[in-house]
Amino acid sequence: MAQASHTRHEQWSSGLVFILAATGSAVGLGNLWRFPYLVGENGGGAFVLIYLACIVLVGFPIMMAEVMIGRRGRQSPINTLRRVALEEGLSSGWQLVGWLGVAAGFLILSFYSVVGGWALYYALQALVGSFSGISSEGAGAMFRGLVSSPVPVVFWHTVFMLILFGIVVAGVRRGLQRAVTILMPLLFALLILLVLYGMTTGAFGQTLHFMFAPDFSAIDGRTVLTAMGQAFFTLSLGMGAIMVYGAYLPSSEHIPRATGWIVGMDTLTAIIAGLAIFPIVFSAGMAPGAGPGLVFETLPVVFGTIPFGFLLGILFFVLLSVAAITSGISLLEPPVAYLIESTRLGRRGATGLLVGGIWLLGIAAGLSLNVWAGVRIVPGLDANIFGTLEFLANDLMLPLGGLFIALFAAWFMRSASVSEELDLLHHGPVYRLWRVATRFIAPAAVILVFLNATGLFG
Ligand code: PHE
């Protein structure tokens, strides 16, 4: 196995494997669960437009920066940032950005695993035939029945964390490669099939209008913050997941091209998920703003009706679980890599320690949907523990981490090192575009959106 001189970690066997692994990280519950329900809650087209702008102007350049820094440092985000900072003659304090990311990943995985557990539960329900002939009221009741009961929520969260433990202990490459090369394309094909079904419902035109005709009266500062947080979340940016995958990338790979593929596939998946889900919502007369239950309350109805729905339902929820697992792995990998480098723990011990901690926090997130629904931990924020974790990590910590990564790459690192690592001509158009986006546009966007969300601009 290839081994770079100053790293203890294995490398991807090719650039294609990196693209698949990073896509496996990016494509997950963020695309299939979170994106559709946020679009539904935030009024549709205007939200989609702002989200897409954030992907192109903020997410794309920052992803290039993350991969570039990761490959230069070749370690966990914390030690990578310290090493690259020292190499560039900067303060080792930049490693704090890595710590911020590790903390964000810890918080995200705790609630992510709860939703991953729902996906597993639904895979089982598909298998035992619970969707057969189910009405939209029935599907709604099934979802509410699940989340309002503490025992199954905690149980399936536990199963999800145990699966992650098993895979991450086996090592990222062995655990991941197969899952992403076969299963991700299958998921994509299945989504396309659901879109084709959506076209037959008679509500496809309404869906296109809802998703792509922007109505800006539905938008305020908080909505823009949500759209930007979702852009970071869906691309796995701002917390070191993409950076640690970049650390395992062979030096011969072209970073801008790889990034283009990852961003493109992730965005396409989210849009297609929307096109698959909203026709069902509208044709069944459901409310698009149903919230976090949206996917789980809509798709079973379709699987309960269409030919081969039984098999397709099993396949869909198994693949949704796989997509959640490949993303969960990338949330766990940065802190695992750090513990392996910096303590005497091996992979098993490091993974076990982190899984244990995240599992405990996840229990709190799961219980906050039922028995602890009234508990508030951040004064002034009217959200349960689940919602609070989601808000703090996705909407605040990820953009903040991304902001510092952009500043580090474009203002502090030597331009010669950066263009060398990106393999771009220093005076060429692509490098210049990247530099303008990373120096000015992305940081300004993050800062403005933060200020805007505080209500400063009225
Ligand atoms: N991008 C993943 C998703 O869309 C979630 C994730 C966020 C993974 C941050 C890693 C890091 O589901």
Side-chain angles (χ1 to χ4, degrees):
M1 185 174 304
Q3 197 89 30
S5 55
H6 54 281
T7 178
R8 301 165 55 179
H9 302 291
E10 48 183 349
Q11 284 193 20
W12 307 113
S13 49
S14 73
L16 181 63
V17 176
F18 164 75
I19 293 178
L20 288 169
T23 306
S25 164
V27 174
L29 297 170
N31 309 61
L32 303 162
W33 160 70
R34 200 165 190 264
F35 176 74
Y37 97 72
L38 290 181
V39 173
E41 275 186 347
N42 291 284
F47 179 87
V48 174
L49 197 69
I50 297 169
Y51 163 82
L52 289 175
C54 290
I55 295 278
V56 174
L57 297 174
V58 184
F60 197 108
I62 291 184
M63 185 179 285
M64 275 174 62
E66 261 201 65
V67 181
M68 180 272 294
I69 296 168
R71 185 164 74 182
R72 229 174 157 71
R74 290 240 177 266
Q75 286 189 305
S76 71
I78 295 169
N79 288 327
T80 283
L81 279 160
R82 198 187 45 194
R83 162 178 287 155
V84 176
L86 291 175
E87 266 174 20
E88 298 285 315
L90 304 165
S91 154
S92 65
W94 280 100
Q95 67 179 297
L96 287 175
V97 180
W99 283 103
L100 176 72
V102 164
F106 197 93
L107 302 188
I108 291 175
L109 189 50
S110 70
F111 69 80
Y112 202 85
S113 165
V114 171
V115 183
W118 300 347
L120 292 172
Y121 171 85
Y122 269 72
L124 182 72
Q125 292 308 312
L127 195 71
V128 299
S130 306
F131 302 157
S132 154
I134 200 170
S135 63
S136 48
E137 292 77 34
M142 181 191 279
F143 179 72
R144 282 189 303 277
L146 169 64
V147 295
S148 62
S149 335
V151 175
V153 167
V154 171
F155 174 78
W156 289 103
H157 155 62
T158 307
V159 175
F160 189 87
M161 287 308 298
L162 286 175
I163 295 175
L164 282 191
F165 175 78
I167 297 178
V168 174
V169 163
V172 168
R173 238 188 79 183
R174 227 174 350 139
L176 218 100
Q177 218 146 309
R178 217 165 324 141
V180 289
T181 31
I182 308 166
L183 299 178
M184 287 288 116
L186 205 59
L187 175 67
F188 200 75
L190 203 61
L191 281 172
I192 303 269
L193 211 67
L194 287 172
V195 175
L196 292 177
Y197 172 78
M199 289 178 176
T200 69
T201 57
F204 201 69
Q206 196 182 349
T207 296
L208 291 179
H209 184 82
F210 180 67
M211 281 183 67
F212 300 113
D215 165 16
F216 285 101
S217 66
I219 291 293
D220 62 9
R222 184 69 188 269
T223 321
V224 182
L225 182 67
T226 308
M228 187 178 69
Q230 171 62 9
F232 277 92
F233 181 74
T234 190
L235 294 175
S236 307
L237 288 182
M239 52 72 65
I242 291 296
M243 197 182 285
V244 82
Y245 279 11
Y248 308 154
L249 180 65
S251 341
S252 54
E253 276 319 304
H254 193 56
I255 292 176
R257 192 177 44 220
T259 305
W261 275 106
I262 301 161
V263 173
M265 288 195 278
D266 185 76
T267 308
L268 206 60
T269 310
I271 298 290
I272 290 183
L275 292 177
I277 288 167
F278 284 113
I280 307 164
V281 173
F282 292 130
S283 64
M286 299 164 81
L294 194 65
V295 208
F296 297 99
E297 294 177 24
T298 49
L299 293 186
V301 182
V302 180
F303 294 130
T305 332
I306 55 172
F308 305 107
F310 175 69
L311 286 178
L312 293 176
I314 299 174
L315 201 58
F316 179 82
F317 283 106
V318 169
L319 292 173
L320 180 64
S321 308
V322 173
I325 290 167
T326 54
S327 300
I329 293 170
S330 74
L331 283 158
L332 200 50
E333 184 61 18
V336 167
Y338 175 73
L339 287 182
I340 294 175
E341 288 158 9
S342 306
T343 67
R344 283 162 49 199
L345 289 172
R347 190 164 260 282
R348 176 174 291 272
T351 311
L353 191 69
L354 287 159
V355 163
I358 293 167
W359 176 71
L360 281 178
L361 189 59
I363 291 181
L367 294 183
S368 78
L369 302 170
N370 35 70
V371 285
W372 289 352
V375 177
R376 298 287 174 270
I377 44 179
V378 175
L381 185 68
D382 186 28
N384 58 16
I385 298 175
F386 188 110
T388 305
L389 291 168
E390 209 182 349
F391 173 72
L392 290 180
N394 294 7
D395 294 354
L396 300 185
M397 293 166 86
L398 295 185
L400 198 63
L403 171 65
F404 283 116
I405 288 166
L407 295 177
F408 180 73
W411 287 95
F412 287 90
M413 283 181 72
R414 280 186 291 259
S415 183
S417 324
V418 174
S419 60
E420 177 200 47
E421 196 66 48
L422 289 174
D423 194 15
L424 289 173
L425 281 180
H426 209 137
H427 298 295
V430 182
Y431 182 68
R432 287 200 168 163
L433 258 178
W434 174 81
R435 203 165 157 80
V436 170
T438 318
R439 283 201 126 183
F440 302 107
I441 302 175
V446 174
I447 292 168
L448 283 177
V449 173
F450 275 163
L451 290 178
N452 192 19
T454 60
L456 218 65
F457 303 144

